[in-house]
Amino acid sequence: MPFFIVFLVTPIAVAIALYRRNPRRFLDGPTEDAPLRLLRWAVSLLSPQRAEWGQAMLGELAHLDGRWRRMRFAFGCTGAALTLPPWGRAAAGLWAMIGVTAASLALHAGLTVDYRLGAGDWIALAVVGTICVGYLLGASALLRRPGVALPGLLGGGFATLVGLGLSGFTAVDQVSFIPKPWQQWVTVIAVPAVIGAAGTLWRRDPAAGRRVARLAALSAGLLRLLYATVAVAVLGGGGPPDQDGGFTVRGTVSDRLTNNIVDLAVGTLIIAMVGWAAAALAGYLVRRTRTPAVDPVQEV
């Protein structure tokens, strides 16, 4: 039931929040073309040391004609901006996420080789690798935003700890846990909502809260993937019998690795959507909070 509510109601809430934030954008349509908006977004991710390069790319885009030519140029610049390493704390956070991802993929590949899994499992490894690369690129963009890195990574750690606390920390718990309804409400609704609302209140900015929720979703997904893959490596085909795997060692390992991929995608999506909606709702509370009036006598 909680999963149904999230996937039905949250996209509607997100659409309403987007409309209320800027209704003229939907009524009048965009005033700029897609390549310019994309490139401006990419330039906003650059560190101050590379600001001149970003302005130069914007100037060069202004001299290009043709939609497809402009789009190719914008995509190239965006790719360069995303692959350029961030600076300071953001760089530390990104390298930590890269390390977690590399460990997960290495374990997955090792299990695929060790248990001599089939071609479908190699395809699954390629799929999870592609998903993880997308997560890292998204995290790289979010980590560059001011005031997002620390609360976003803390939110991801919080979601991971709550999920493990409810399921249990042992390897057997990871492959056999079936959540109760109240546990689903906690992990699907309560935890993402707390992360999104806290992100907004942290910076008193709903835009920052939405970014915090997305970064928390990405980091939590990668952390849970590593933990679940370690659990499969510890158990192998042991633990409770796996009917979906045909009660064979290879089938059980393959099924557990596939479940990890599904959990990665679904869990990340839920935290991002619910956290986004909670951040938007908390933003209305922040806007309604009146700033104390300043005594004109004290200003003199």
Side-chain angles (χ1 to χ4, degrees):
M1 185 65 176
F3 291 96
F4 173 77
I5 293 176
V6 168
F7 286 108
L8 178 64
V9 176
T10 306
I12 299 175
V14 169
I16 293 174
L18 284 173
Y19 175 81
R20 294 196 63 178
R21 183 173 61 176
N22 188 5
R24 303 306 305 177
R25 179 179 180 182
F26 293 87
L27 298 177
D28 297 338
T31 57
E32 301 174 344
D33 64 351
L36 180 57
R37 293 197 303 271
L38 177 62
L39 186 55
R40 283 185 173 173
W41 173 80
V43 169
S44 69
L45 303 177
L46 297 174
S47 62
Q49 293 85 347
R50 299 190 175 100
E52 293 184 0
W53 178 82
Q55 295 302 318
M57 294 303 99
L58 286 171
E60 187 170 349
L61 178 66
H63 292 86
L64 294 179
D65 297 324
R67 181 178 180 82
W68 291 111
R69 186 181 179 189
R70 290 169 58 83
M71 185 61 73
R72 286 196 302 268
F73 180 81
F75 272 125
C77 294
T78 302
L82 288 174
T83 54
L84 286 173
W87 294 67
R89 296 178 181 178
L94 180 60
W95 280 111
M97 296 181 69
I98 291 174
V100 169
T101 303
S104 300
L105 295 179
L107 277 175
H108 193 134
L111 290 169
T112 304
V113 172
D114 190 39
Y115 288 93
R116 300 180 181 179
L117 303 184
D121 297 282
W122 285 105
I123 295 175
L125 177 59
V127 170
V128 71
T130 303
I131 294 174
C132 288
V133 170
Y135 281 17
L136 290 176
L137 290 175
S140 175
L142 293 168
L143 285 167
R144 300 167 197 264
R145 299 293 189 176
V148 173
L150 181 59
L153 295 177
L154 289 177
F158 171 69
T160 302
L161 286 177
V162 171
L164 291 176
L166 293 176
S167 66
F169 290 88
T170 68
V172 175
D173 292 330
Q174 297 306 304
V175 300
S176 61
F177 174 66
I178 299 177
K180 299 177 182 179
W182 72 268
Q183 293 172 326
Q184 291 183 350
W185 282 104
V186 170
T187 57
V188 173
I189 302 295
V191 170
V194 168
I195 293 172
T200 295
L201 298 176
W202 181 294
R203 299 281 296 180
R204 304 196 65 79
D205 180 9
R210 293 190 293 270
R211 293 171 186 142
V212 167
R214 294 197 295 270
L215 180 58
L218 296 175
S219 57
L222 294 176
L223 284 172
R224 286 302 300 266
L225 176 65
L226 175 60
Y227 202 95
T229 308
V230 170
V232 177
V234 170
L235 283 179
D242 194 336
Q243 182 177 1
D244 293 338
F247 297 105
T248 65
V249 173
R250 293 173 61 184
T252 297
V253 173
S254 174
D255 184 63
R256 289 172 177 173
L257 291 175
T258 302
N259 290 339
N260 291 346
I261 301 175
V262 175
D263 292 340
L264 169 69
V266 174
T268 303
L269 181 61
I270 286 175
I271 295 176
M273 289 197 306
V274 177
W276 200 106
L281 290 175
Y284 291 113
L285 298 178
V286 171
R287 294 191 189 99
R288 290 183 178 181
T289 302
R290 295 182 178 179
T291 57
V294 180
D295 189 353
V297 177
Q298 295 179 356
E299 291 184 340
V300 179

